[in-house]
Structures are given as structure tokens and as C-alpha cells.
Amino acid sequence: MPIHILSDQLASQIAAGEVVERPSSVVKELVENALDAGATTITVTVRGGGRDLVQVADDGLGISSGEIEMAFLRHATSKLDTVADLEKVSTLGFRGEALAAISAVSRLTIVSRDRGAQGGTRLLLEGGRRTSRELVGAPVGTIIAVENLFYNTPARLKFLKSVPTEKRQIDEFVTRYALAYADVRFRLSHDNRITFQTTGSGDVREVLAEIYGAETTRTLLEIETEVPDREATDERAAINVSGFVGPPDLNWANRSHITLFVNGRWIRDTSLTYAVIQAYHTLLPAGRFPLGVLFINMPPEEVDVNVHPAKTEVRFRRPNTLFGAVQRAVRRTLVAKSPVRAAGGWAAGGGFEQFVPQHEHIAGWSGAAQVEMRLDWSRRYQGAELSAPQDGESEAAFEAAGDVEPSERKLPIMRVIGQVGAAYIITEGPDGLYLIDQHAAHERVLYEQFLAEWEQQKVVSQGLVTATAVQLPPSQAALLEDNLPLLRSLGFEIEPFGPHTFQIRSVPAVVARMDPAAALRAVVDDLEEGSTPLQGKVEARIVLRVCKSAAVKAGQTLSRAEMEALVQALEECESPHTCPHGRPTLIHLSVAQLAREFGRT
Ligand code: ADP
Ligand code: MG
């Protein structure tokens, strides 16, 4: 085929592919247009998961009769004029592509009336070509109905996901925009049933309650705005983070409940999502993710929104500063407001109250997160110089290390009463009963002890009276050989001793009471997990593993003296409420709860 210029129609279909990937993209673009038009009420009507119909009606500015055709031309926009405007975009749209793209791949009807006009204009477009135009009576605002999406691009149509999947995507967009624009009334219906609506009262909590339910919403923690300190640089002060985060025990197996808005635009950003997750470090069980709805506001010239046709990916001028700001905001909120695990889990009829200490310290924050960072860049065992942190992650962790509040008493003084099930220690405190999980508590104690030693660069190593020889499978032996210096820094003195065999001369003091061979095997197992993990992560994991294997197990009977020592050590911990993996170490049963359970109130 000779080289030739594509027909206009084909070119617009190709271009449309980038903007309109699926029915939910239509919803997104039309809702964004309505928001840009200053709508206070937006009604989204969907049929067949958006394949049959997507209709968005708004009461915004409207489009004048003279300009309405123009809105459907490629690169036609009222939101941008000069190159300079592109540097500081404050509207959701600006590329002038959406209406052109949507109309190129559907049958579209628009009715719009601007404020000055007596009536509205109705246009019909098929595959981007106008097929009719008339003047009609209409309220001020715009209604756009998109039918038979992709009717003229069969390839696209074939690749559409199932109707339920498309519906879910649409729900996701609409609920997210309802959160970011709580002062706009949204109404969404699928196949003639209203599935979601908000009042437009401006109260984000109300919208959250529509999405997550009133019960869950009550537990969410509102992000406290940062009081700018004297040292805060201007750029730091210019970033404002608000919104809500969930308490640690509200968690999911994926990160889809972390929602980020930058200047009112919903964005996807792995780094900022990670900033939120990292603020929960060790508070959550492995593989679980928190809830976060964060509104980030910053000068528009700090963000480049013109990276991707769908505009959900953006670029920041100072990603590290932003990462730090987000992480600090979340952590600050958790530190100030995170409740201790209460006995709610076992209350059959509910009603166990949460025990909320005055200044809960975010568990593990001063622990693992910082240690991961230190492990990462100190590399003592290599005798390397301390080097500056490299990326946003460690920079943020570094900044964060500075401003943890001085610890106050985090647990009440407790008196040991006894042990139950050879697993839990029963204690009495000033307000009722505490049950302590002996394994989790001991893990926490050992973990903090190990960290303290690590921080002072003197992990206590205990020599063995008789060196123990351990034989490993070849692959593990090679792995161990490679990691001997690392293990030495953690307190394991190990030497090669014949083929696949090693001699253990000393072990970290925290595992001194364990079978050294078992301790080493546990560590090697961890080395094996994940083929080329980051060094810092391996070390942090090994520390966790060592503490886990050294901690007393459930099923072990403890003497009173042992229990008292453990409870006292727990009381002295920085973050006594959870084990390093984020599970609770203790639960509280208050006198009031007891009274309620016994029907005394
Ligand atoms: P963009 O939003 O990037 O400007 P679009 O193709 O989405 O491009 O829209 C083109 C133009 O049509 C907009 O700039 C705006 O002037 C007008 N427009 C689109 N939707 C609406 C609406 N719901 N209300 C008022 N004007 C609208
Ligand atoms: Mg637009």
C-alpha cells in the first residue's frame, strides 16, 4: 500500500482510542466536563454497564448555540489559551479531546443551554458526523447521552470487559468524584435503579458514609492539618494534605481503597500510595492495605497534568517533598488518634468499647520503618561511610525519624493475675481486665530490644559454649555464604565448615535460648524468599524472623516471674499495642463492659 494520509474519520477513531478506552472513560470525561462547568447537580444514568447508554446531565454553565458544534472538534477547548496556561492548569479538562473522541465512536445526543439563552440546542452526532440540529426548550445546563458505544469500532467492542466489571469501574469513578466534590449533588443509576447518591452538603463524611457505610465511616480518622513549623520551607508549606485514613484494623488485601486527589483531580500514583502504606508500617498484617482518602492541594504549577490522555497520571516537580508531606500527614494522624485494639472481636452481641489512650503512639513507627531506612544506608558491616538517602522513600523515613513525639506511658500499669490456655496472660489494670498474647507481646519486646541494639550499633552477640555445625541443602548453602557479612552484622558468627556445612560460633543474644541450628535455618529460609530483594528489606525481615522464632510460643506455660517480667518489658516498649507484624498484643475489657455483659447497666 502506498503511503497516504489517513482519512479524518479513521484518524479520529484512532485518537479516540487513547481517551475512550471503555464505558467508564466516557463517564469520567463527561463528569469532569460537568464539574469544570461549575455544576452543582450531576446525574449519571447508565444502561448495560455503559455499552447501551451513558448519560450525564448537569446544571452548569452550558454551551452557547453558536459554539456547540465546535465543542466536538478535536483540540477544541474553552479552558486553555496559551502555552503558559498549560503550566498551571486548574480545570479537570484542557486537552479538548474528550467530546471529539466520544462522539467519534458512538451515537451521541447533546442538549445544552447557556445562561443567557432563551432555549437550548439539540445536536445528534453519529460516528462524529452531525445528523441533526434543532432548538429545543431546556433548562440551563448540559445533557449528553452516549449510546451504542464502539458500534463502529468492532475491535474495541470485542475487548470490553463484562457488564459487572464495567459497572464497578463506573461506580468507582462516580464515587471518587463525589468524594472530591462533596458540595456537588451526585446521582448515579444503573438500569433504572439509583445505586448511589449524595446530598451535595459539602460534608465529606456524608459521602464516605454512602460509600463505606455509617459504621465504618465513624471509625475513620480525619487527617490533621499540619501546623507549619518555623523550619518548614515555602515549598513544604505550600502543600496541604487533608482527608481521612482508616484505623489499622480496617484493612484490605489490595490497595484500591487508597484514593488520592491532587487539586480535585483523582490520580493514580504508586509512590504516593506507598507513602500512605508506609505510614502504617508494622501496624498492618503483612499483605494488608489501609483505607485512605487524601486531598492534596498545591500550586498548579507544581504539577504536570499533561502526561497522559486520560489525565490520571501526573508528574510532580518535587516528588520527594510531596512523598514526605503525605507520609507525615498520615502518620501524624495515626499517632494522635489511632485507637488500641479493643476486645470488640469477641463480643458476641457487640458493645465492647474501644480503649483509647491519650496519646497513642503509632506502633512500630519508631521501629521498623526507621530501621529499614538505617539498615538501608548505613551498611555498617561493609565499613561504608554513611551516605545520604537516595530516594524519596528513605528521605521521607529520614525526615520522619526526627519528629516522633517523646514517649509517654503507653500502657497502664498492670498486675499479673494468671495465665489462660498457656497462651494468654491475664492482668488487671486501673480500668478492668487486659489479656495479653504472650507470643505477640514477647515478639514486640524482643524486636524493640534488637532495634535498640542495632541503633547503637552494638547488636549483642552471644558466643556458644560449643560451636554447632549445620548442614544445608546446596542452594541454601550458597545463599548463606553470600550473606555471611550481613548475618554477622546481625550477631551471627558463622564460618564455612566443609561442603554445605557451617559452624555457628555465636548468635544474637535475643535468640540465645534457642537451638542455634533452628535459628539459623529460620534466617536462611528468609534469605531465600524473594530472589533479589532490596538489602534493607532482607535485613528488616531477618530481624523480624529472629524475634519471631525466639519469642515464647503459645502453649508454653510461664512462671509468675516470667509473666511479670514480660508484662513489665511490654509496658516499656515504644509501641506496645501490636507485634511487629501488626497483630494486637493485648485486648482490654473495661469494668463498664463487664457491667454491661453482666446486665448491670
Ligand atoms: P476539554 O474538557 O479538555 O476542554 P472536551 O472535549 O471535554 O475538552 O470539551 C470541549 C469543550 O466543550 C469544553 O472546553 C467546554 O467548553 C465545552 N463543554 C463540554 N462539556 C460541557 C459541559 N458539560 N458544560 C459546559 N461546557 C461543556
Ligand atoms: Mg473535558
Side-chain angles (χ1 to χ4, degrees), residues 29-38 56-58 60-63 67-68 70-73 75-80 91-102 110 112 141-144 311:
E29 294 296 336
L30 296 183
V31 167
E32 288 187 351
N33 279 347
L35 290 167
D36 280 344
V56 175
D58 70 58
L61 291 172
I63 309 174
E67 289 190 329
I68 195 159
M70 181 114 83
F72 292 88
L73 299 180
H75 315 300
T77 180
S78 58
K79 302 170 192 175
L80 205 63
T91 47
L92 294 168
F94 56 89
R95 298 170 60 111
E97 287 177 335
L99 291 188
I102 295 167
I110 179 170
S112 192
T142 304
I143 305 175
I144 295 181
K311 300 160 289 180

Side-chain angles (χ1 to χ4, degrees), residues 17-57:
E18 287 184 24
V19 185
V20 191
E21 226 186 315
R22 52 201 294 186
S24 60
S25 340
V26 175
V27 173
K28 173 178 179 290
E29 294 296 336
L30 296 183
V31 167
E32 288 187 351
N33 279 347
L35 290 167
D36 280 344
T40 59
T41 302
I42 298 177
T43 307
V44 183
T45 310
V46 178
R47 278 209 279 276
R51 295 170 190 218
D52 303 338
L53 173 76
V54 170
Q55 178 181 296
V56 175

Side-chain angles (χ1 to χ4, degrees), residues 178-226:
L179 277 171
Y181 295 84
D183 52 355
V184 174
R185 276 173 56 180
F186 279 85
R187 176 185 290 173
L188 168 66
S189 71
H190 284 286
D191 304 313
N192 297 324
R193 245 193 59 216
I194 293 175
T195 53
F196 174 77
Q197 60 182 332
T198 63
T199 62
S201 69
D203 183 351
V204 180
R205 269 189 187 274
E206 247 181 52
V207 185
L208 283 165
E210 288 299 326
I211 301 170
Y212 290 103
E215 192 74 13
T216 301
T217 301
R218 253 195 297 282
T219 67
L220 302 184
L221 315 170
E222 183 158 8
I223 291 174
E224 305 196 327
T225 9
E226 186 164 30

Side-chain angles (χ1 to χ4, degrees), residues 248-425:
D249 55 2
L250 184 65
N251 54 62
W252 282 270
N254 61 51
R255 26 198 104 189
S256 66
H257 296 273
I258 300 174
T259 309
L260 304 168
F261 300 95
V262 171
N263 296 343
R265 181 191 305 279
W266 176 47
I267 60 146
R268 296 175 204 273
D269 190 290
T270 30
S271 164
L272 291 184
T273 303
Y274 185 61
V276 176
I277 295 168
Q278 215 196 30
Y280 280 83
H281 198 93
T282 79
L283 270 178
L284 292 173
R288 305 292 297 177
F289 300 94
L291 180 145
V293 175
L294 273 70
F295 305 105
I296 302 162
N297 283 299
M298 55 165 79
E301 56 271 21
E302 293 278 317
V303 201
D304 182 1
V305 289
N306 189 25
V307 180
H308 188 258
K311 300 160 289 180
T312 44
E313 275 151 46
V314 298
R315 233 176 260 137
F316 299 107
R317 254 174 74 189
R318 290 176 241 274
N320 291 357
T321 312
L322 188 58
F323 186 101
V326 166
Q327 194 198 40
R328 247 178 298 125
V330 176
R331 185 171 49 83
R332 200 174 44 241
T333 306
L334 291 169
V335 167
K337 298 183 175 171
S338 183
V340 187
R341 236 12 125 99
W346 17 288
F352 281 10
E353 233 156 60
Q354 300 245 315
F355 161 69
V356 185
Q358 288 285 295
H359 285 279
E360 167 59 352
H361 205 279
I362 167 168
W365 174 256
S366 53
Q370 285 172 51
V371 131
E372 232 173 68
M373 179 268 304
R374 283 197 189 99
L375 291 169
D376 222 348
W377 51 269
S378 61
R379 302 245 187 276
R380 254 157 307 135
Y381 54 89
Q382 293 173 348
E385 293 277 288
L386 288 190
S387 60
Q390 298 285 312
D391 54 10
E393 181 186 334
S394 33
E395 184 202 328
F398 182 60
E399 275 182 35
D403 55 9
V404 171
E405 283 158 22
S407 55
E408 291 163 38
R409 174 162 280 286
K410 317 227 171 50
L411 288 183
I413 295 176
M414 295 179 280
R415 184 175 69 84
V416 172
I417 298 173
Q419 194 186 19
V420 60
Y424 308 104
I425 302 169

